[in-house]
Every structure is written in C-alpha cells, then in structure tokens.
Amino acid sequence: MPDQGVATGGTDGTGGGARPAPSAAPAVRVEGLWKRFGEQVAVSGIDLELPAGQFVGLVGPNGAGKTTTLSMVTGLLRPDMGRVIVAGHDVWADPVQVKSRIGVLPEGLRLFERLSGRELLGYMGRLRGLPGKETDSRATQLLDILDLAGSQHKLIVDYSTGMRKKIGLAAALLHNPEVLFLDEPFEGVDPVSAQTIRGVLERYTSSGATVVFSSHVMELVESLCDWVAVMAAGRIRAAGTLAEVRGDAPSLQAAFLELVGAQGRATGESLDWLGGGAAGNGAGSGAGVR
C-alpha cells in the first residue's frame, strides 16, 4: 500500500433544496481500490476520503489513473478490488441509491445528438423521476444561466465543444445531486464558457454540495479548489487542503512536479537544432525552406 497523506474535512452550511446539510462524514470514501487492464495496473490500491461541501480536485499527469478512478467511484467501471462509499451508500452494493444522489459529467461525454438541448433536459429530468413541470422549470433556469437559451431548440449534434460541456453540466445538475463528479470539465472550453461553468459550480458548492473534478491544469485547480489529491502512476501521492499539499512550495504546480517526480526532467535543451534563424541549421538540411 502506498504512503498517502490523507486529510479530511468539511464546511458548515445550509443544504440546497432537499439536500441534507453537510456533516463531518466524507462525501466519498475509497478503500483499497484496484484496477488492472491486462498487465497494466491503472489504479493501485488507493485509499482516499473526500470531504463534503467543498470543491475537491483530483490532479495528476496524463495516464495517472484519474479517469479510471472516477469511473469506478461513479459506478461506470467495476473495480477488481476495493470499496467505494458515496453519500453514505456503497456504489456497488446499493447503486440505485448512489446514482440518485450524484451527477456525472464524464470525459468524452456521449449525448443524444438527435435531441435538442431542451429535449435532452426534459428527457433526463423525467428519467430521474422529476415531475414534468418541475423538470421544465429547472431546465429553463439552467439553459438561461448557462447561456444556452438561444440554442435550446438546436440539435446537440450541431453544438460546439463548449456548448456540449454546458448542456452536459445542466443534465448532471438537473436533479440537484449531493455530489457532482466532473472529468476535465474545462478541457476544450473557451474562456467565456469556462467562466460561466465556474460561476455555476461556485454557486452549487456554496449551497453545501460537493464538486469532485479531475484536471492536470494546476493553475485552475489552485484557483478553484479547497482540497486536493495528487495522483501519479495509479497511486495517491498526497491529499489534503490546498495549503497542506502545497506545503513550502511557491505554487501547487511546483509541489505537483516534486510529488510526481517530474523535477529535473529534460526540457528540450538537447534540441539545439530547433529554433528560428540559420544558426542551428546544418549544411544540406533544407535551411530556408519553411
């Protein structure tokens, strides 16, 4: 079992809608989680507790196991070993209770592309058991706040990447979940859409709900998150509040590079031939052809 500096915590606040008030109990508890694909170990026996009522970041380099971990935590992928408790319920022993309490925006989200944005939200709300009138009311509010009202009758197949992320977020929030899981929610999103998404998520967490999102952009995590877990090679390298994980490092980026063992790696100095001008071009190399 790897060393894991796991810290847990919570914040006091009032619940949003029918959501219970946050408590000292973690929003997510992961115990001994393993996943192997053939000879490749993607997740290596991690233990982790994510605090309720906070913005939680799961960060790591590409291939660290973040998406695999989130897939197992949300019931999309069965682990080889281990246990996951979300909002007080076992993901695999009590999946219906868990899925009624979570919202998920996975990476590479597949949507019903022949539906319009409005139709998708109407379908998802009714699928979740919301009354039709309540579904339509919430859909109208979400479409408006996410700046999709003008495109609500357009087919999703014609949506841009940012619009797809926003309609996917609307669908994940529609039933007012206790915990929201987002896999790279800002990837491929323009700054205007990113700011809109960020505002909605900050409003959501301020009501006492929990957001868990994965990213490899440290500046984004540092500006958004209260609590961070750093993952590399399928293991948790550090976990705790932003200040605890950052430690004495000048930034989360610097702490992250040290934790994942990326400090001192080659940064391109050996590519002495790369660059503008003629200085690095050898004879007969095709210099001047650009």
Side-chain angles (χ1 to χ4, degrees):
M1 189 72 63
D3 294 334
Q4 299 177 26
V6 178
T8 62
T11 59
D12 294 330
T14 58
R19 188 186 301 115
S23 66
V28 179
R29 179 182 290 117
V30 176
E31 302 172 353
L33 203 63
W34 286 83
K35 187 63 184 179
R36 181 191 297 269
F37 298 100
E39 297 300 314
Q40 177 68 38
V41 177
V43 177
S44 185
I46 67 173
D47 295 297
L48 190 61
E49 289 190 358
L50 306 182
Q54 298 192 38
F55 219 127
V56 177
L58 177 61
V59 303
N62 291 330
K66 304 186 301 295
T67 295
T68 301
T69 298
L70 285 184
S71 295
M72 291 189 287
V73 167
T74 56
L76 297 174
L77 178 68
R78 185 174 291 276
D80 295 334
M81 188 182 301
R83 185 170 181 238
V84 180
I85 306 297
V86 177
H89 297 272
D90 189 300
V91 170
W92 295 101
D94 199 1
V96 174
Q97 288 297 325
V98 171
K99 290 177 182 179
S100 69
R101 288 168 168 77
I102 66 173
V104 184
L105 181 62
E107 186 180 29
L109 175 66
R110 299 293 296 272
L111 298 168
F112 295 102
E113 297 194 335
R114 304 310 299 182
L115 295 179
S116 68
R118 164 69 72 173
E119 289 169 339
L120 176 70
L121 295 183
Y123 172 72
M124 294 301 295
R126 288 163 175 81
L127 194 64
R128 289 281 191 177
L130 292 175
K133 187 175 181 180
E134 180 66 17
T135 293
D136 294 340
S137 175
R138 292 186 184 187
T140 296
Q141 292 175 321
L142 286 165
L143 288 165
D144 182 57
I145 198 68
L146 289 168
D147 197 26
L148 290 171
S151 305
Q152 62 181 302
H153 300 302
K154 181 187 290 187
L155 295 182
I156 291 173
V157 69
D158 296 322
Y159 275 20
S160 66
T161 299
M163 293 167 68
R164 284 171 176 261
K165 285 285 177 76
K166 289 191 289 186
I167 198 65
L169 177 61
L173 287 171
L174 191 64
H175 59 296
N176 193 29
E178 293 179 43
V179 188
L180 182 65
F181 295 93
L182 310 172
D183 195 358
E184 300 287 359
F186 297 96
E187 190 170 26
V189 176
D190 68 86
V192 175
S193 296
Q195 182 62 29
T196 301
I197 292 172
R198 179 173 178 157
V200 170
L201 295 179
E202 288 174 341
R203 165 68 181 85
Y204 174 69
T205 54
S206 71
S207 72
T210 306
V211 171
V212 180
F213 87 102
S214 72
S215 181
H216 50 255
V217 181
M218 296 303 108
E219 293 83 358
L220 176 66
V221 172
E222 195 161 21
S223 68
L224 272 178
C225 292
D226 310 299
W227 201 96
V228 180
V230 179
M231 192 170 189
R235 299 171 183 265
I236 300 297
R237 301 298 187 186
T241 66
L242 193 62
E244 289 170 345
V245 172
R246 188 167 48 206
D248 297 329
S251 67
L252 183 62
Q253 172 82 4
F256 172 79
L257 292 174
E258 182 177 355
L259 286 165
V260 303
Q263 285 188 332
R265 286 191 181 179
T267 56
E269 289 87 349
S270 62
L271 301 177
D272 55 2
W273 51 268
L274 186 65
N281 293 311
S285 63
V289 179
R290 293 185 181 270

